Amino acid sequence: MEDYVSESDSDYTSYWRDWFISSRGNEYFCEIDEDYLTDRFNLTGLNTEVQYYQYALDLVTDVFDLDCDDEMRETIEKSARHLYGLVHARYIVTTRGLTKMLDKYKKAEFGKCPRVNCHSHPLLPMGLSDVPNLKPVKLYCARCEDIYNPKSSRHAAIDGAYFGTSFHNIIFQVYPALIPAKSIERYIPRVYGFKVHSSAALVRWQNAKRDDMRRRLRKLEIETGFREENDEDEEEEEEEDMDFDAAEERLAITNTAAA
């Protein structure tokens, strides 16, 4: 975190928030509206979590005028960054905050999924805990529904509580059209073109379960959502199932008549 501390006042822009957002390593953050920062209701409870809370708030809102030495200034600066992060977690789940984060998401500013079968789907920042100083920020892919570490060490040092555990789910609740089609492709290990035995056994079990679920959904006339493969084989399996059911019915009638 010491990398973010400026060595002189000349490094500061006219607005603290502009400086913070433009600093290297803070690309995941969006700018919080001033009216949100100045509404004390939005800051409820943060005064007990941030050292030199009032000075830090004054610095974030650009009304800081305390004459202090460099060491004190550095401490207040650190508290200001922490305060901004905690407020940021609350702000990004508001209507305005979701809109700003959505713009960054569409531009893939948080990165792209490293999984090959997700085809570079954009990621969203998320936290594994809402309590500060426990877990660093992670990146969530809505396509494979898995989480990843940021590529850059600067981003990996960001506290996950500054984004919270709910934001990445709330944004898809508010914007359901953004929910991508789930990734149904999976890598199958092979040796000289032949499936590796243990993995092949698992794949056969998964395919059997998927085919069984597909047949049941079709009987209920529900769209399966699975990629259609070997349609002719599946139709033959369904015909065999129907013939088997018919044979069972005939056997039951025969047994009833004999009794």
Side-chain angles (χ1 to χ4, degrees), residues 131-144:
V131 180
N133 303 318
L134 286 184
K135 299 286 185 179
V137 68
K138 303 296 180 182
L139 297 174
Y140 171 77
C141 175
R143 186 170 175 82
C144 63

Side-chain angles (χ1 to χ4, degrees), residues 2-145:
E2 286 76 7
D3 294 338
Y4 301 129
V5 178
S6 299
E7 296 180 355
S8 65
D9 290 340
S10 61
D11 293 328
Y12 288 88
T13 62
S14 56
Y15 297 102
W16 186 91
R17 282 168 293 153
D18 293 340
W19 166 82
F20 180 82
I21 295 299
S22 61
S23 298
R24 293 183 62 190
N26 291 341
E27 291 83 3
Y28 289 176
F29 293 92
C30 70
E31 184 177 356
I32 303 175
D33 295 333
E34 184 174 359
D35 57 350
Y36 189 89
L37 282 168
T38 54
D39 187 339
R40 295 304 176 95
F41 176 79
N42 300 323
L43 311 179
T44 301
L46 297 183
N47 59 321
T48 60
E49 298 186 38
V50 179
Q51 186 182 21
Y52 299 114
Y53 167 79
Q54 190 57 54
Y55 290 144
L57 180 60
D58 291 344
L59 183 58
V60 172
T61 54
D62 301 300
V63 295
F64 183 79
D65 60 355
L66 178 67
D67 185 12
C68 57
D69 56 26
D70 292 341
E71 183 177 355
M72 183 64 174
R73 175 76 181 221
E74 181 178 338
T75 301
I76 296 174
E77 173 67 35
K78 184 177 180 179
S79 295
R81 292 194 301 270
H82 183 50
L83 175 61
Y84 191 91
L86 296 177
V87 179
H88 185 268
R90 300 181 179 186
Y91 177 73
I92 59 177
V93 295
T94 65
T95 302
R96 180 62 177 161
L98 286 170
T99 301
K100 291 185 178 182
M101 295 297 279
L102 175 61
D103 291 339
K104 298 171 74 69
Y105 172 69
K106 288 181 176 179
K107 297 176 183 177
E109 293 186 13
F110 306 116
K112 298 179 180 179
C113 184
R115 185 173 180 269
V116 174
N117 289 329
C118 284
H119 307 291
S120 300
H121 191 79
L123 298 171
L124 279 172
M126 60 162 288
L128 296 177
S129 173
D130 292 314
V131 180
N133 303 318
L134 286 184
K135 299 286 185 179
V137 68
K138 303 296 180 182
L139 297 174
Y140 171 77
C141 175
R143 186 170 175 82
C144 63
E145 297 184 322

Side-chain angles (χ1 to χ4, degrees), residues 186-190 195-207:
R186 61 176 179 272
Y187 169 72
I188 301 176
R190 297 177 184 270
K195 297 177 182 178
V196 178
H197 181 267
S198 58
S199 298
L202 175 61
V203 169
R204 286 196 297 272
W205 178 84
Q206 290 175 329
N207 287 338

Side-chain angles (χ1 to χ4, degrees), residues 242-253:
M242 294 175 63
D243 292 340
F244 180 76
D245 294 340
E248 283 188 329
E249 292 179 2
R250 288 196 297 269
L251 180 60
I253 293 174

